[in-house]
């Protein structure tokens, strides 16, 4: 049997397949469709210090092989998470990781502090890359100085595994990755959505209430893959890759490019059990190629 | 909720835009319980530009035949592919999704108002009311006679009133101009159709203190509460039309403000 376990920070995952924040709710939405215990982990929806109503409708536009969203961090706040959601999801037989978002450094710190004592939350993912909020969000992920600043502040209060989620809307993602690694991030995850837009030609109006939004799905995969490869060569911490992963071949591509683990996002909407199929596909691939452990494949793309 | 493969048992063209598909679970699995107002999310295969699933209302359930009816209007590539489905073809669907119309236990008079393909969920609702021994009136509107679909199915469950914009069937004009609204007193109104129509119906109901529920057709990505894309502004904040809806009490919506 090939080994599927991988380690991110101090967190051991049963396999490298996880689900991306904002596309998997709190996991509860998917229990009718699959056994969550088959997954390496679940990144729950973006959580902020205060409740947020998100953006106005319409928040979604379909594009060729993808979608634009402008959800805008709609969530009930971290207190609601701790009191109402955590007791329900804490017994899921998989790793539960909270995706933390904020408008100010203080927001990130205060939100994180409320998660510190939760024993079934082994890691947090700092979202410094949301393109759909006016202040904060992506702004933190677009310069090395601000990305470093927020990572440093959270690292001070958070002893668990700290994953920083990078924005692809930058000129050089590798330098941002290095700057958060230097501040003690245990891992970087990438990519968040690409800033995009769509217009209804008939009405001449934008298709999103916010005009611009975040592009995700298979249409971003080649760019995401390139970024994962660049970051893998720039840092010494594990990289978690995502962007349009819809099947095991996509997942293997990300792993070969340097991802220790992957997240499945938008494709969960199309096939809610796709992530389990990806686990099975990776397992079969390893067996077929006689590979002892999935970690042997990380960054193993052959260019010679 | 279940993710199941279905086989198309029949595909009838009702007019140049609308098809009625009757589908059964491919492996003969028993259909889960479904309620009027609920919908399905259909994976459209072999479409070039269709990436997400397509939400379609449950038009009818025939338990004896383990059959779901889907009334589809071809408006773009996804729905066109569905209308072109061959008998024996396969469809992967998430079933059933969403909440349902409230079927009140107290007796009263019921009016079901639909426009365009928005008549789809009202047939199943009318059937359920009929099964409970509740007589209801249907008021359906369309551009022309050929757009008022499934007329004989509707008349099996209640009295049918129609309006057409060109006057080719029933009263000429919009549903809200139909004289039955002046002559009869209703206790409950359920509506589905184009938003301006539903807003006019909601206004009519609100002014008379009639309980009214509307089924919305917001853009959806997942259809089961995971993406938060389909929100409707309500008195309880932004709610997901796919899980808290698609059916809402009109007093919860902000349409009449
Ligand atoms: C809960 C719910 C129930 C529905 N029930 C039915 C039904 O029973 N029968 C039926 O034919 N249609 C129904 N619809 C509408 C149907 O989902 C859309 O017409 C379909 O998704 C359009 O896909 P397309 O690829 O054909 O068109 P696209 O190429 O995606 O779009 C073409 C045009 O269709 C319209 N459209 C797109 N998506 C929607 C949408 N979600 N709602 C309304 N209009 C849309 C827009 O004007 C768009 O410009 C329902 C929608 C919802 C949300
Ligand atoms: C509807 C939607 C909501 C999202 N919400 C969040 C979020 O709250 N926090 C976050 O870090 N990323 C969020 N994302 C980004 C995804 O987690 C992921 O990074 C991105 O979609 C790329 O992966 P994909 O192409 O597989 O979807 C969201 C994406 C979508 C489509
Ligand atoms: S469509 Fe995804 S939450 Fe409603």
């Amino acid at each position: 049997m090939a080994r599927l376990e991988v380690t991110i920070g101090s967190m051991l995952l049963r396999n490298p397949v996880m689900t991306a924040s904002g596309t998997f709710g709190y996991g509860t939405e998917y229990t009718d469709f699959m056994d969550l215990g088959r997954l390496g982990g679940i990144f729950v929806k973006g959580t902020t210090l205060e409740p947020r109503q998100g953006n106005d409708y319409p928040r979604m536009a379909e594009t060729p092989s993808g979608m634009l969203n402008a959800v805008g961090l709609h969530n009930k706040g971290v207190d609601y998470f701790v009191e109402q959601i955590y007791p329900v999801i804490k017994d899921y037989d998989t790793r539960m990781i909270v995706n933390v978002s904020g408008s100010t450094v203080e927001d990130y710190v205060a939100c994180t502090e409320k998660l510190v004592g939760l024993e079934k939350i082994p890691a947090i993912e700092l979202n410094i890359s949301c393109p759909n909020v006016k202040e904060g969000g992506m702004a933190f992920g677009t310069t090395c100085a601000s990305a470093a600043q927020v990572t440093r502040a959270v690292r001070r209060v958070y002893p668990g595994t700290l994953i920083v989620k990078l924005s692809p809307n930058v000129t050089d993602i590798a330098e941002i990755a290095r700057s958060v690694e230097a501040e003690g991030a245990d891992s970087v995850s990438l990519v968040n959505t690409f800033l995009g837009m769509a217009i209804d030609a008939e009405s001449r109006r934008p298709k999103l209430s916010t005009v611009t939004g975040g592009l995700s799905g298979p249409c971003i995969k080649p760019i995401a893959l390139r970024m994962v490869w660049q970051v893998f060569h720039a840092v010494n911490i594990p990289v978690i890759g995502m962007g349009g992963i819809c099947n095991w071949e996509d997942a293997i591509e990300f792993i070969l490019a340097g991802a220790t683990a992957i997240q499945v996002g938008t494709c969960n909407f199309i096939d809610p059990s796709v992530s389990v199929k990806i686990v099975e596909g990776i397992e079969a691939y390893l067996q077929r190629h006689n590979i002892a452990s999935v970690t042997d494949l990380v960054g193993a793309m052959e260019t010679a | 909720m279940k993710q199941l493969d279905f086989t198309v048992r029949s595909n009838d063209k009702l007019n140049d835009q609308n098809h009625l598909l009757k589908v059964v679970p491919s492996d003969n699995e028993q259909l889960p319980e479904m309620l009027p107002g609920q919908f399905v999310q259909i994976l459209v295969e072999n479409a070039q530009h269709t990436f997400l699933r397509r939400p379609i209302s449950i038009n009818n359930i025939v338990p004896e035949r383990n059959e779901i009816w889907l009334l589809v209007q071809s408006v773009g590539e996804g729905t066109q592919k569905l209308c072109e489905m061959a008998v024996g073809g396969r469809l992967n669907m998430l079933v059933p999704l969403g909440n349902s119309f409230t079927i009140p236990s107290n007796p009263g008079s019921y009016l079901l108002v639909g426009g365009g393909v928005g008549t789809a969920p009202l047939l199943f609702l009318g059937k359920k009311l009929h099964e409970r021994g509740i007589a209801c009136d249907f008021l359906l509107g369309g551009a022309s006679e050929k757009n008022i679909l499934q007329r004989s199915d509707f008349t099996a469950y209640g009295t049918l009133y129609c309006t057409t914009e060109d006057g080719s069937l029933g009263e000429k004009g919009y549903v809200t101009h139909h004289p039955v609204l002046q002559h009869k007193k209703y206790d409950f109104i359920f509506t589905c159709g184009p938003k301006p129509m539903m807003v006019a119906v909601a206004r009519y109901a609100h002014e008379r203190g009639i309980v009214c529920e509307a089924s919305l057709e917001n853009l959806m990505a997942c259809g089961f509460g995971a993406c938060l894309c389909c929100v409707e502004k309500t008195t309880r904040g932004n709610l997901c039309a796919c899980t808290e809806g698609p059916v809402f009490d009109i007093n919860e919506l902000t349409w009449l403000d």
Side-chain angles (χ1 to χ4, degrees):
Chain A
M1 277 292 272
R3 270 178 61 87
L4 284 173
E5 289 93 344
V6 298
T7 305
I8 303 288
S10 54
M11 178 172 65
L12 177 70
L13 306 174
R14 150 181 319 141
N15 64 58
V17 180
M18 303 189 276
T19 54
S21 177
T23 68
F24 212 70
Y26 292 113
T28 40
E29 292 81 353
Y30 285 83
T31 50
D32 279 1
F33 301 118
M34 69 152 103
D35 172 7
L36 300 179
R38 299 279 288 130
L39 298 177
I42 294 172
F43 286 71
V44 305
K45 78 176 56 153
T47 302
T48 52
L49 185 59
E50 302 290 338
R52 293 179 65 113
Q53 276 295 310
N55 293 318
D56 285 345
Y57 181 85
R59 289 181 176 182
M60 189 274 280
E62 194 181 30
T63 71
S65 286
M67 64 179 278
L68 287 158
N69 90 80
V71 171
L73 299 177
H74 180 159
N75 80 103
K76 291 187 169 156
V78 67
D79 288 333
Y80 184 86
F81 174 82
V82 172
E83 286 153 27
Q84 305 292 328
I85 306 290
Y86 180 69
V88 177
I89 67 173
K90 72 176 177 29
D91 296 326
Y92 284 160
D93 181 23
T94 186
R95 301 292 187 210
M96 303 294 298
I97 299 132
V98 178
N99 178 266
V100 174
S101 294
S103 308
T104 62
V105 174
E106 293 72 34
D107 276 2
Y108 281 98
V109 171
C111 187
T112 302
E113 280 175 328
K114 300 201 182 229
L115 300 167
V116 170
L118 307 180
E119 64 177 297
K120 295 291 176 62
I121 307 291
I124 61 166
E125 179 181 54
L126 281 192
N127 175 11
I128 58 168
S129 42
C130 179
N132 294 324
V133 289
K134 282 204 184 68
E135 70 291 337
M138 190 173 86
F140 283 106
T142 51
T143 71
C144 290
S146 55
Q149 185 197 7
V150 65
T151 307
R152 186 185 321 134
V154 172
R155 180 76 289 177
R156 244 183 248 137
V157 301
Y158 190 67
T161 296
L162 176 60
I163 302 163
V164 180
K165 184 163 177 181
L166 306 181
S167 169
N169 301 299
V170 296
T171 314
D172 183 358
I173 195 167
E175 73 175 14
I176 311 264
R178 275 192 297 264
S179 72
V180 303
E181 179 184 32
E183 297 298 342
D186 296 305
S187 169
V188 283
S189 57
L190 58 147
V191 295
N192 209 313
T193 53
F194 286 78
L195 200 55
M197 66 188 271
I199 305 171
D200 183 323
E202 289 298 326
S203 68
R204 302 188 187 186
R205 296 189 54 78
K207 287 191 178 173
L208 298 175
S209 65
T210 46
V211 185
T212 62
L215 182 65
S216 63
C219 57
I220 69 169
K221 195 190 102 182
I223 321 178
L225 196 60
R226 180 263 292 174
M227 290 181 159
V228 165
W229 175 73
Q230 286 177 319
V231 170
F232 171 70
H233 288 287
V235 297
N236 294 308
I237 50 178
V239 175
I240 302 172
M242 81 203 87
I245 296 177
C246 287
N247 51 48
W248 65 265
E249 288 101 324
D250 294 339
I252 295 286
E253 281 190 62
F254 274 82
I255 295 169
L256 289 171
T260 297
I262 57 108
Q263 295 179 25
V264 183
T266 307
C267 284
N268 291 309
F269 303 154
I270 293 150
D271 178 358
S273 58
V274 69
S275 44
V276 170
K277 293 175 188 159
I278 293 174
V279 175
E280 288 162 0
I282 294 176
E283 204 165 15
Y285 176 90
L286 295 176
Q287 249 140 30
R288 191 151 39 83
H289 289 271
N290 249 326
I291 298 165
S293 164
V294 69
T295 53
D296 297 342
L297 278 185
V298 176
M301 174 175 69
E302 292 176 13
T303 49
Chain B
M1 290 187 289
K2 279 190 172 183
Q3 181 175 6
L4 289 178
D5 277 329
F6 286 79
T7 304
V8 178
R9 184 176 272 167
S10 67
N11 177 354
D12 293 317
K13 183 173 175 165
L14 305 186
N15 65 22
D16 48 5
Q17 262 208 318
N18 292 88
H19 283 239
L20 180 65
L21 297 174
K22 295 180 180 171
V23 304
V24 292
S26 301
D27 55 5
N28 281 323
E29 184 163 342
Q30 197 60 33
L31 286 178
E33 198 200 345
M34 304 197 199
L35 301 168
Q38 290 190 300
F39 65 97
V40 302
Q41 274 277 51
I42 310 183
L43 189 68
V44 182
E45 288 186 273
N46 306 318
Q48 242 187 317
H49 307 288
T50 304
F51 174 63
L52 299 165
R53 286 176 183 262
R54 292 297 187 262
I56 299 290
S57 303
I58 296 169
N59 175 239
N60 199 5
I61 298 292
V62 187
E64 314 83 82
R65 296 166 59 88
N66 207 29
E67 195 172 76
I68 307 181
W69 294 11
L70 304 166
L71 180 68
V72 184
Q73 177 156 27
S74 174
V75 297
E77 189 187 13
T79 46
Q80 189 186 331
K81 288 275 176 213
L82 293 177
C83 289
E84 287 166 0
M85 285 298 295
V87 171
R90 296 272 177 131
L91 286 175
N92 184 268
M93 315 204 303
L94 310 181
V95 295
L97 304 175
N99 69 357
S100 61
F101 290 103
T102 317
I103 300 189
S105 49
N106 47 333
S109 55
Y110 294 78
L111 178 68
L112 277 46
V113 188
V117 76
T119 59
L122 301 183
L123 182 67
F124 186 27
L125 175 61
K127 179 183 179 182
K128 282 283 178 194
L129 291 170
H130 183 75
E131 281 171 6
R132 301 260 183 108
I134 299 171
C136 63
D137 289 347
F138 300 101
L139 173 53
L140 309 183
S144 162
E145 181 188 358
K146 68 175 185 3
N147 301 109
I148 311 279
L149 308 167
Q150 302 181 291
R151 295 208 289 272
S152 57
D153 292 315
F154 277 105
T155 47
Y157 306 131
T159 309
L160 178 62
Y161 300 95
C162 299
T163 60
T164 49
E165 285 161 45
D166 65 2
S168 53
L169 181 74
E171 297 288 324
K172 186 172 160 81
Y174 293 127
V175 284
T176 38
H177 300 142
H178 199 285
V180 73
L181 291 176
Q182 311 308 325
H183 301 149
K184 278 186 88 162
K185 200 182 153 300
Y186 292 100
D187 301 305
F188 303 96
I189 297 183
F190 300 104
T191 184
C192 185
K195 186 162 174 194
M197 183 210 89
M198 290 199 289
V199 172
V201 171
R203 190 159 286 133
Y204 170 89
H206 184 75
E207 281 163 6
R208 288 160 184 79
I210 302 170
V211 177
C212 180
E213 290 183 342
S215 178
L216 312 191
E217 288 200 352
N218 289 13
L219 290 170
M220 295 180 179
C222 69
F224 51 89
C227 72
L228 307 187
C229 285
C230 60
V231 288
E232 179 69 23
K233 207 175 259 175
T234 73
T235 52
R236 292 187 283 143
N238 281 333
L239 298 182
C240 280
C242 69
T243 50
E244 306 272 352
V247 180
F248 288 91
D249 186 310
I250 54 139
N251 291 313
E252 271 195 356
L253 301 172
T254 54
W255 293 356
L256 305 175
D257 296 351

